[in-house]
Amino acid sequence: MPRTTIVAGNWKMNLDRARARELAAAVAARRGEAAGVELVLCPPAVYLETVGATLAGAKSDVGLGAQNMLDKPSGAFTGEVAPPMLVDVGCRYVILGHSERRTLFGETDAAVNAKAKAALAAGLVPIVCVGETLAEREAGKTAAVVTTQVQDSLAGLSPTDLEKVVVAYEPVWAIGTGKVATPEQAQEVHALIRGLLAHLASPAVAAQVRIQYGGSVKPDNAASLAAQPDIDGALVGGASLKADDFLGIAKAFA
Ligand code: 13P
């Protein structure tokens, strides 16, 4: 079966409630422009319910995703959000191990691994992010860094679970910088990741896993990324805050 492409908008810590509702409504209304592409919106946690209600009200199949969670079902974890709570407000996806979580909040591969297992146990699709920094790329360490992140973040997952995971390759130097990876640079790492997945499970499982590219994806560079054989979608930051741009990118993956 060919892989269904998946384009997700990571709104990060942006917008307010009214604008979140407005953006979700616009994406839902124009969803048909990217028919066949799985679309996901990941608003800030406090707006999940509002965005979920907007999507449900529009009878839209656009999915709802969180940007983070803790790996515990409940308890004394002030300020955190549990996987069942995300499910409760209608989430089907959760972004895990985004480079901003890794660098600003100290998330390790082990923590991402625990979160991925907890997400799957709760019935959520984890979007697991990996990617090298500029210094690592310039030192020729891209393959080594991404290999460790993929192997350690996805360690111990059953083949059935691994097949559900979405991996997002987001080179840190391309995030929010306007410096997109070339399609060839991205494809090289995506192929590496698929090879690692084949080792972790099997070639058949690896062939099913969607691997998104993220980092300065815009409507005008999306098509050349989408043309690569192992790029199955995009994880979009800045450009996901405008319905026109988000749908323009999604269209490229249709
Ligand atoms: P930009 O698209 O703003 O570069 O952000 C990418 C990203 O971090 C998505 O998770």
Side-chain angles (χ1 to χ4, degrees):
M1 267 226 326
R3 296 183 290 272
T4 304
T5 52
I6 174 165
V7 174
N10 176 7
W11 294 359
K12 305 192 180 182
M13 200 173 72
N14 292 298
L15 305 177
D16 57 26
R17 193 155 64 112
R19 286 161 70 209
R21 197 183 288 133
E22 200 179 307
L23 181 53
V27 171
R30 295 174 53 185
R31 187 266 178 277
E33 294 175 23
V37 182
E38 206 168 307
L39 295 185
V40 184
L41 300 181
C42 304
V46 285
Y47 302 140
L48 281 169
E49 194 155 11
T50 294
V51 169
T54 303
L55 295 173
K59 302 211 182 323
S60 172
D61 69 345
V62 175
L64 184 68
Q67 299 174 13
N68 182 34
M69 54 164 232
L70 192 65
D71 62 318
K72 306 287 189 298
S74 66
F77 301 102
T78 302
E80 294 292 337
V81 177
M85 295 173 180
L86 297 181
V87 173
D88 201 15
V89 295
C91 285
R92 299 207 308 264
Y93 308 81
V94 60
I95 298 171
L96 297 177
H98 189 279
S99 73
E100 288 146 22
R101 301 291 323 162
R102 291 175 183 267
T103 59
L104 302 172
F105 302 98
E107 268 185 34
T108 61
D109 288 327
V112 176
N113 184 238
K115 290 182 180 201
K117 287 174 179 161
L120 287 158
L124 293 162
V125 171
I127 300 177
V128 175
C129 305
V130 298
E132 81 287 1
T133 63
L134 183 60
E136 289 163 343
R137 175 163 282 267
E138 286 176 344
K141 291 184 184 156
T142 299
V145 167
V146 171
T147 297
T148 301
Q149 288 175 335
V150 169
Q151 287 177 340
D152 293 0
S153 300
L154 301 177
L157 266 59
S158 70
T160 324
D161 274 348
L162 204 54
E163 206 167 83
K164 296 174 192 153
V165 170
V166 175
V167 178
Y169 169 55
E170 297 206 306
V172 179
W173 48 271
I175 295 177
T177 59
K179 261 207 290 186
V180 64
T182 66
E184 295 74 24
Q185 281 175 324
Q187 168 58 28
E188 188 182 8
V189 179
H190 281 233
L192 167 78
I193 293 170
R194 204 173 301 285
L196 295 167
L197 296 169
H199 269 283
L200 281 172
S202 69
V205 166
Q208 291 305 311
V209 175
R210 278 90 55 84
I211 308 177
Q212 296 174 314
Y213 168 81
S216 297
V217 181
K218 308 282 180 234
D220 64 358
N221 60 30
S224 60
L225 292 162
Q228 299 299 316
D230 288 296
I231 303 185
D232 308 313
L235 182 55
V236 187
S240 73
L241 299 174
K242 290 195 181 122
D244 269 348
D245 289 354
F246 183 64
L247 289 157
I249 291 166
K251 241 184 268 183
F253 285 92

